[in-house]
Every structure is written in C-alpha cells, then in structure tokens.
Amino acid sequence: MTTFDDRESAFEAKFAHDEEMQFKAQARCNKLLGLWAAERMGLSGEKAEEYAKTVVIADFEEPGDEDVIRKVTADLEGKVTSDEIRAKRAELLPIAKEQIMNEAAAG
C-alpha cells in the first residue's frame, strides 16, 4: 500500500467512526427527550424507559427530527408546544454527545 492508500483508508475509517458516533448521539438525544416527555406524562421506571424507546424508533420514519417532534407533541397532548420540544431536544443533544464520548473513552 502507498502512503496515499493508507491516508485514504484512515480517512474512511474516521468518517465511518464519526458517522457512527453522530448516529449514537442522535439516538441518545431522542432517548433523553423520551424520558423527559415520559416524566411530563407521569411515567416512571420501566414505563418511562419503554416510552423513550418508542421515541427513538420514531426517528426512523423519515430523515430529520420532525418525526420525533410530531410524536412527542402528539403524545404530550398540548401540554408542551412543538417549539418547546425542539428547544428541549437542542438542549439535550450536547448532553447526549458528551455521554457517548465518555462511554467511548471508557470502553
């Protein structure tokens, strides 16, 4: 292999790793949002965890975050606006990224 091939392989590996970390951070953010919403619905423990999983799964319906926002907005039945949910998700994303990075460093 040439130095160029080595660099190309390293770049591809870094890109794949970064994409995986971003995917994990988005999923963690959605879980945290689900736990936050569950609390507002009066759910706790296992029921809150189960609800949070449904929020994570909702993100696979379409690209972007709007599928998650729609689900949580509907589930909260007018208790919180879509804009408030977007703001909460934006607040939770850096927390999720930090958690993922700490887990990667520890693991």
Side-chain angles (χ1 to χ4, degrees), residues 29 31-32 39 47 49 58 60 71 73 77-78 105:
C29 180
K31 179 181 179 183
L32 294 173
E39 183 180 321
K47 290 191 183 285
E49 289 288 334
F60 297 113
K71 176 188 180 17
T73 301
E77 300 173 340

Side-chain angles (χ1 to χ4, degrees), residues 5-25:
D5 290 335
D6 291 342
R7 285 185 184 171
E8 183 178 19
S9 294
F11 179 77
E12 288 172 357
K14 182 183 180 336
F15 179 80
H17 178 264
D18 291 350
E19 287 293 307
E20 179 182 0
M21 295 303 281
Q22 183 65 20
F23 174 80
K24 287 180 179 181

Side-chain angles (χ1 to χ4, degrees), residues 83-102:
D83 287 339
E84 290 171 314
I85 294 167
R86 283 185 193 89
K88 187 63 177 179
R89 191 175 186 291
E91 177 187 319
L92 293 171
L93 187 56
I95 295 167
K97 286 180 179 181
E98 183 178 342
Q99 289 178 358
I100 295 297
M101 294 303 287
N102 289 341

Side-chain angles (χ1 to χ4, degrees), residues 26-40:
Q26 292 290 336
R28 177 67 57 90
C29 180
N30 289 334
K31 179 181 179 183
L32 294 173
L33 182 68
L35 291 172
W36 172 81
E39 183 180 321
R40 268 123 203 91

